[in-house]
Amino acid sequence: MRRAHTVEQVRAAEAELMARLPEGALMQRAAAGLAYAVIDLLGSAYGRRVLLLVGSGDNGGDALYAGAMLARRGVQVEAWLLSDQAHESGTTALRQAGGRTITGEPTRPDLVVDGIVGIGGRPGLREGAQAALEAVAGIPVVAVDTPSGVDVDTGELDGPHVEAALTVTFGTHKIAHLVDPAARASGAVQLVDIGLDLPAAAVEALQPEDVADLLPRPEPDAQKYVRGVVGVRAGSTQYPGAALLSVAGAASGLCGMVRYVGPESVAARVRDAHPEVVGEGRVQAWVVGSGGGEHAGDELTSALADGVPLVIDADALAHLERPPADAVLTPHAGELAAMLGADRADIEARPLHFVRAATERYGCVVLLKGRHTLVAHPDGRVRATTTGTPWLATAGAGDVLGGLVGALLASGLTPYDAASVGSWLHGAAATLASRGGPIVAGQVAASIPAAVRGLPGR
C-alpha cells in the first residue's frame, strides 16, 4: 500500500526519530537518497551541471547536503541562495566539497533541484523564487519532498508552483503526491525510507499486491450463484451503448453471473454481444444509471427496492435523496458539481475536499472520477487510484467502470474495496489495452481479465 500522511503526522514522526539519532543524521539520510536519485536521473555524474534552488527551510538543507555529495562525485554544483537564512552547515558542506553558492543568474545546468520551500510552506511562491524558476525554464526539476508552492495536505494549488519531473520524498508519501492537481506537479515520485514510525495514513493508494490480496478468488467447489450475481439497469433506446459497455464491465469474469434489465430492443443487443448474460432475477448487487435517460429514476427506485448494494452512476445520480450506506456513487466532476451545488472548476481544483463533502452529505462511498480517481468512505478513509493512461479519457469508460465495480460488489467485496479495486483494475486494463496509443471503452473491458492475470500470485 502506498500511504500518504499529513504534515503534522510527518513532523511528529521526525521529531520522535531525531530524539534517538545523532544530530543531523536524519538530514544526511534524506540527502543521500536525493543525491542518488539525481545521479540516476542524469545517467552519470562527472562533468554534469546541477543547480540547487535553496530556500531557508530544511528542504534547502537536504538539497545542500545532497549537492555536497554530488560535488564529491564530480558534478559541477551551484546553489542559488534565495534566502539569507539558508541552512548554514549545509552551505558550508557544499563549499568544502567544491560546490559554489550564487545569488544571481546561474550557469545553464543539466538539472535543477527544488529546495525552495519545505512541506510546512504555504501554497504559492515569492517573487524571487518565481524569477529563479523562470531563469531555468525548460530544464528538468527534481523536487525535494514536494514541489515548492503546492498545498501539501490537500493537493490543491494556489498560485505559482514548481512543476517537477521527479519528486524525491522521505519517510512517506504526502497527500500532494497522490491527489490532483498537485500530484500532476509532482511528476514521478520516488520514496526514500528514512526510518519513520508513522500512524494510519490520511490517503492511500492500492498497489498490485494489495489488489491481489483483496480480489475474491473462486473456491474449488464454487458455482455461479455463490460467486455472486450482478444486475445491470443501464442504457435506453436513446443510449443503448451504455448498456453494452456497463454489461461488458460487469461480465469480465469477476462474479458468477450478470443479469440485464432494460428495454427489449436494448436487451436483444446485449444478448447478441454477451450471450452469457441473462434476464431479470435475484441479484447480490445492482448497477444503475449509465445512459438511463428519463427512465433512470424509475430504474433506481426498482433497484433500491431489492435492498442489495448498488452502484449509482450518471443519470441516476440526479434522482438521489439519501442512498443506502452500502451504495457506491460514481460521479465525474460535472455530476458531483450538480449534486453538491458547486462549480465544476472548484471540484477539479479541490477534489479531495469535495469527495469528502459528498460522503458526508450522502453517507456512503463516493468514487470521484479523474486522472487520479478518489474513493472516499464516510469514516474519512480515502484511496487514490494511480493506474491508468490519459487515453482512458474516452466515451463510455465510466460505464465500464460502473459495471466492474458492481461485479466486485456482487462477489462480496465491501463498497469501499469494490470501488477502489475496481478503479485500480480499470486503470490497469486501460494501460494494457492502450500500449501507449488510443483506445475505446470496449477495449478496456476486454482487457480486465489480462489485468487480473498480471497481478502477483495470480
Side-chain angles (χ1 to χ4, degrees):
M1 190 81 71
R2 185 173 294 173
R3 295 177 171 85
H5 292 80
T6 65
V7 172
E8 182 179 1
Q9 289 174 318
V10 173
R11 291 294 195 216
E14 288 178 340
E16 191 276 332
L17 181 57
M18 285 190 290
R20 297 187 280 109
L21 292 176
E23 184 177 356
L26 196 61
M27 184 171 285
Q28 291 292 335
R29 289 182 184 179
L34 175 60
Y36 282 120
V38 167
I39 292 173
D40 188 55
L41 186 60
L42 287 171
S44 62
Y46 189 80
R48 306 305 294 270
R49 296 179 181 272
V50 170
L51 173 67
L52 316 176
L53 299 181
V54 180
S56 59
D58 285 347
N59 279 26
D62 295 335
L64 288 163
Y65 277 116
M69 296 175 188
L70 292 170
R72 288 195 289 269
R73 294 286 298 272
V75 179
Q76 298 178 45
V77 182
E78 290 184 333
W80 189 343
L81 304 183
L82 303 175
S83 168
D84 57 7
Q85 297 179 348
H87 197 278
E88 186 175 350
S89 58
T91 301
T92 300
L94 175 67
R95 290 170 176 158
Q96 290 177 342
R100 70 189 191 102
T101 58
I102 60 173
T103 56
E105 290 290 325
T107 305
R108 188 80 175 167
D110 299 308
L111 184 145
V112 174
V113 174
D114 160 32
I116 302 171
V117 179
I119 61 173
R122 295 194 298 179
L125 293 173
R126 295 179 178 176
E127 290 185 5
Q130 293 179 53
L133 288 168
E134 289 170 4
V136 293
I139 297 170
V141 177
V142 174
V144 180
D145 225 356
T146 58
S148 293
V150 307
D151 192 313
V152 177
D153 276 350
T154 67
E156 297 170 16
L157 303 176
D158 185 15
H161 58 277
V162 167
E163 292 277 352
L166 171 68
T167 296
V168 181
T169 195
F170 312 114
T172 180
H173 289 81
K174 283 68 180 182
I175 294 170
H177 299 142
L178 300 183
V179 175
D180 281 335
R184 289 198 300 271
S186 299
V189 179
Q190 181 172 329
L191 176 64
V192 175
D193 184 4
I194 56 173
L196 299 184
D197 184 12
L198 291 151
V203 178
E204 298 176 332
L206 296 179
Q207 301 302 291
E209 296 80 5
D210 306 310
V211 176
D213 287 343
L214 288 169
L215 201 66
R217 290 176 168 85
E219 297 294 335
D221 60 348
Q223 44 97 346
K224 60 185 179 241
Y225 296 110
V226 172
R227 292 190 59 211
V229 180
V230 62
V232 178
R233 293 179 177 268
S236 60
T237 54
Q238 186 178 5
Y239 303 110
L244 290 165
L245 292 169
S246 295
V247 168
S252 50
L254 294 175
C255 67
M257 181 186 289
V258 180
R259 298 184 182 274
Y260 176 74
V261 178
E264 179 51 38
S265 61
V266 179
R269 294 182 62 175
V270 168
R271 289 193 296 269
D272 287 343
H274 303 280
E276 70 278 10
V277 174
V278 298
E280 191 165 4
R282 188 174 179 180
V283 301
Q284 279 72 57
W286 279 108
V287 179
V288 186
S290 299
E294 62 184 13
H295 299 295
D298 295 333
E299 297 292 355
L300 177 60
T301 299
S302 297
L304 287 168
D306 274 356
V308 298
L310 72 167
V311 177
I312 305 174
D313 188 31
D315 295 329
L317 293 169
H319 300 276
L320 281 180
E321 292 181 3
R322 187 70 177 180
D326 56 3
V328 177
L329 314 184
T330 58
H332 56 56
E335 290 162 341
L336 188 60
M339 292 163 63
L340 298 179
D343 183 80
R344 177 173 188 150
D346 289 340
I347 302 284
E348 292 172 340
R350 306 177 65 196
L352 182 59
H353 168 82
F354 282 105
V355 76
R356 283 174 165 162
T359 63
E360 183 176 346
R361 176 166 177 176
Y362 290 101
C364 64
V365 169
V366 178
L367 181 157
L368 176 58
K369 301 169 192 172
R371 189 190 78 101
H372 279 192
T373 289
L374 298 179
V375 177
H377 192 284
D379 67 8
R381 288 177 289 163
V382 177
R383 284 177 180 158
T385 301
T386 56
T387 57
T389 165
W391 294 110
L392 186 52
T394 185
D399 303 337
V400 172
L401 174 61
L404 172 56
V405 174
L408 292 169
L409 270 180
S411 73
L413 289 188
T414 67
Y416 186 59
D417 285 343
S420 47
V421 168
S423 179
W424 192 98
L425 285 173
H426 187 247
T431 300
L432 285 174
S434 168
R435 298 183 182 180
I439 51 174
V440 294
Q443 293 172 301
V444 178
S447 295
I448 293 169
V452 173
R453 286 194 295 272
L455 292 172
R458 302 305 291 189

